[in-house]
Amino acid sequence: MFACTSLGPAGFPGIFDAEYPEKGSALRINLNEFSYRKGAEIFGEKEPADYVYQIATGAVRSYKLLSDGRRQIGAFHLAGDIFGLEIGTDHRFTAEAIVDTTVRLMKRRSLELVAQNDLMVARNLLSMTTNNLRHAEDHMLLLGRKTSLERVAAFLIEMDKRSTAAGILALPMCRRDIADYLGLTLETVSRALSRLHALGILAFIGNNQRQIVLRDRDKLASLDLQY
Amino acid sequence: MFACTSLGPAGFPGIFDAEYPEKGSALRINLNEFSYRKGAEIFGEKEPADYVYQIATGAVRSYKLLSDGRRQIGAFHLAGDIFGLEIGTDHRFTAEAIVDTTVRLMKRRSLELVAQNDLMVARNLLSMTTNNLRHAEDHMLLLGRKTSLERVAAFLIEMDKRSTAAGILALPMCRRDIADYLGLTLETVSRALSRLHALGILAFIGNNQRQIVLRDRDKLASLDLQY
DNA sequence: CGGGGGCTTGAGGCCACTCAACGATAGTGG
DNA sequence: CCACTATCGTTGAGTGGCCTCAAGCCCCCG
């Protein structure tokens, strides 16, 4: 699981690589930094996709809304992740900063022009899209067929795999975000976490309910049925 | 909605195009036909992805299983659709023939080799992957946040858009397949269809419950909340 | 005609949702 | 320093939508 847009802070050579222009391409690639306050919208669904983003620090949620307000978060993006990459002209998600966030951004058009001449860049685009697809496919199984406890367990495992400090999670997002990612309500998420706490599988660090220690990752993994 | 792997019977120039080899590529592309009986497995999840498939006639479901048998169908593939395309080495779904099905298949390796030298083929790969991604993203919203009636309405609209005969649906799949696609049970699907029938929105042709006339597509669309 | 698969429909149950109360924390202003 | 407020999270009680289990119908096919 967990392939998402994340390929780690290593980044993508040839895409978000500042040295790239010196390697032979005649194009200058913009690598501006930009910051967003907690809760700020980075781009909206159906807006033209002019830029591609990479998170320097912070965290981002990307989601779709139904007209009556129901929300489905498709992915969380953490430090190092690239998001906002579209092959069509428009964004298919709204992206919001979960906490104060700094992103590097480049013009999509520059990327396209490079990709037209550079097969490695083109392959990286395909690779990123494929990773997003794999994540979406796994998430469909979760949303369509898993119980609430399985979903929360899968979420924790996913976050743990992305975390640098294995076994310790510092979640940037609130319970409602987790719920909208897992297709649940925030109360159900809270109850599932409480159950995992009661089972001794996880513990909270201090009084901060967003800092979690995974005490028994094997038992946690056994709660999320694999396929 | 409904982008899936379907780009219509027109197919993909440069990928499933028999004339392609004559256009300059030194590679011979296999375009063998192969037939599968109703219910036969075409490939299994995690098997090496040696071939890419295009449906000549018939229909295919691709799905993931949990270890206890819960199933999530990720997509239905109809005539003209390409499926089984993987960027990694292995398949991420199991594919089964829903009815007797004939496919054209080509070696994945041939495709890869062509894509390495041909930017148009590479772009087509990206385009197909993107279409699959768009479908998966929309389906996440359906699975995570829509009610049973909305899901069934969305399914009928999706099938109608793919159908050649607008307003008339000849569904190849059974209720259980629909349910596993929509994250419901077959009984819930059946009840939703009965409700739509009682509302005068659809009618069955004769005694065949898989042949459906959409009597009021606008009302049907209004039941599936857009975003 | 019997058997089996597919579909519908009903009755009842359960899991997640809804609604609500409450505690904890952080920020604000007097 | 202490209200006051707002936000976030937990927990309980009750509801409801979908699931489970079951019966029965229809059609196809032997």
Side-chain angles (χ1 to χ4, degrees):
Chain A
M1 219 182 171
F2 194 69
C4 201
T5 46
S6 137
L7 274 92
F12 276 91
I15 289 185
F16 267 99
D17 186 343
E19 293 124 290
Y20 190 76
E22 274 102 306
K23 282 190 196 157
S25 168
L27 285 159
R28 269 190 53 85
I29 299 184
N30 283 346
L31 262 184
N32 301 320
E33 295 223 331
F34 210 88
S35 288
Y36 297 89
R37 285 285 163 75
K38 171 181 173 173
E41 179 175 309
I42 299 172
F43 55 77
E45 195 176 345
K46 293 183 181 165
E47 286 179 12
D50 295 330
Y51 294 94
V52 180
Y53 304 78
Q54 184 181 35
I55 299 185
T57 63
V60 169
R61 58 182 168 246
S62 57
Y63 62 85
K64 288 175 184 288
L65 281 182
L66 290 175
S67 50
D68 62 357
R70 280 174 284 174
R71 184 178 69 159
Q72 179 63 44
I73 293 180
F76 293 117
H77 311 291
L78 308 181
D81 290 354
I82 291 170
F83 66 98
L85 174 65
E86 304 291 348
I87 305 305
T89 60
D90 295 346
H91 286 296
R92 297 193 301 267
F93 287 102
T94 301
E96 276 177 4
I98 296 176
V99 294
D100 291 353
T101 296
T102 300
V103 299
R104 291 187 278 273
L105 51 83
M106 68 172 295
K107 273 210 178 301
R108 189 185 103 123
R109 215 177 126 56
S110 311
L111 185 59
E112 275 175 352
L113 289 172
V114 174
Q116 267 180 0
N117 298 315
D118 189 319
L119 211 54
M120 188 180 78
V121 173
R123 263 205 298 274
N124 274 337
L125 290 185
L126 183 53
S127 159
M128 279 190 289
T129 304
T130 300
N131 285 332
N132 290 340
L133 178 56
R134 195 193 330 270
H135 180 261
E137 289 168 348
D138 289 338
H139 211 56
M140 285 195 290
L141 177 61
L142 179 148
L143 293 171
R145 287 299 176 220
K146 290 187 181 178
T147 67
S148 64
L149 199 64
E150 288 166 347
R151 294 181 202 209
V152 172
F155 169 74
L156 292 172
I157 291 168
E158 177 182 341
M159 292 305 290
D160 182 50
K161 282 190 184 152
R162 300 172 79 169
S163 167
T164 47
I168 298 181
L169 298 182
L171 303 177
M173 71 291 286
C174 65
R175 298 290 188 264
R176 170 166 293 282
D177 287 340
I178 300 173
D180 285 349
Y181 178 60
L182 299 178
L184 301 169
T185 61
L186 63 94
E187 294 93 335
T188 300
V189 170
S190 180
R191 277 183 246 271
L193 289 172
S194 295
R195 267 180 78 186
L196 294 174
H197 181 55
L199 289 168
I201 292 176
L202 61 81
F204 297 101
I205 300 179
N207 287 327
N208 190 334
Q209 287 113 333
R210 295 194 192 176
Q211 295 190 339
I212 293 176
V213 186
L214 300 189
R215 299 208 149 282
D216 191 339
R217 206 161 344 138
D218 292 342
K219 208 187 279 183
L220 187 63
S222 75
L223 292 180
D224 174 36
L225 258 66
Q226 297 305 306
Y227 55 95
Chain B
M1 217 180 174
F2 195 66
C4 201
T5 45
S6 137
L7 273 94
F12 276 89
I15 290 184
F16 267 99
D17 186 343
E19 292 124 293
Y20 190 76
E22 274 102 307
K23 282 191 194 157
S25 168
L27 286 159
R28 269 190 51 88
I29 299 183
N30 282 346
L31 263 184
N32 301 320
E33 295 222 331
F34 210 88
S35 288
Y36 297 89
R37 285 285 163 77
K38 171 180 176 175
E41 179 174 309
I42 300 172
F43 54 79
E45 196 174 347
K46 293 179 181 168
E47 286 179 14
D50 295 330
Y51 295 94
V52 180
Y53 305 78
Q54 184 180 34
I55 299 186
T57 62
V60 170
R61 58 184 169 243
S62 57
Y63 62 85
K64 287 175 184 289
L65 282 182
L66 290 175
S67 50
D68 63 356
R70 282 174 283 174
R71 184 178 69 159
Q72 179 63 44
I73 292 181
F76 293 117
H77 311 290
L78 309 181
D81 290 355
I82 291 169
F83 67 97
L85 174 65
E86 304 291 346
I87 305 305
T89 60
D90 294 346
H91 286 295
R92 297 194 301 269
F93 286 102
T94 300
E96 275 176 7
I98 297 176
V99 294
D100 289 354
T101 296
T102 300
V103 299
R104 290 186 280 272
L105 51 84
M106 68 173 293
K107 273 210 178 299
R108 189 184 103 121
R109 213 175 128 58
S110 311
L111 184 59
E112 275 174 353
L113 289 172
V114 173
Q116 266 180 1
N117 299 314
D118 189 319
L119 210 55
M120 187 179 80
V121 172
R123 263 204 299 275
N124 275 337
L125 290 185
L126 183 54
S127 159
M128 278 190 289
T129 304
T130 300
N131 285 332
N132 290 341
L133 178 57
R134 195 194 330 272
H135 180 260
E137 289 168 347
D138 289 338
H139 211 56
M140 284 195 291
L141 177 61
L142 179 147
L143 293 171
R145 287 301 177 218
K146 290 187 181 178
T147 67
S148 63
L149 199 65
E150 289 167 346
R151 294 180 200 208
V152 172
F155 169 74
L156 292 173
I157 291 168
E158 176 183 342
M159 293 304 290
D160 183 49
K161 281 190 184 148
R162 300 173 81 169
S163 166
T164 47
I168 299 182
L169 298 182
L171 303 176
M173 72 290 286
C174 66
R175 298 291 188 261
R176 170 166 294 280
D177 287 341
I178 300 173
D180 285 348
Y181 179 61
L182 299 177
L184 301 169
T185 59
L186 64 92
E187 293 93 334
T188 299
V189 170
S190 179
R191 279 183 245 271
L193 288 172
S194 295
R195 268 179 78 184
L196 293 174
H197 181 54
L199 289 168
I201 291 175
L202 62 79
F204 296 101
I205 300 179
N207 286 329
N208 189 333
Q209 287 113 330
R210 295 195 192 177
Q211 295 192 338
I212 293 176
V213 187
L214 300 188
R215 299 209 149 280
D216 190 340
R217 207 164 339 142
D218 292 342
K219 208 187 279 184
L220 186 64
S222 75
L223 291 180
D224 174 35
L225 257 65
Q226 297 305 304
Y227 54 96

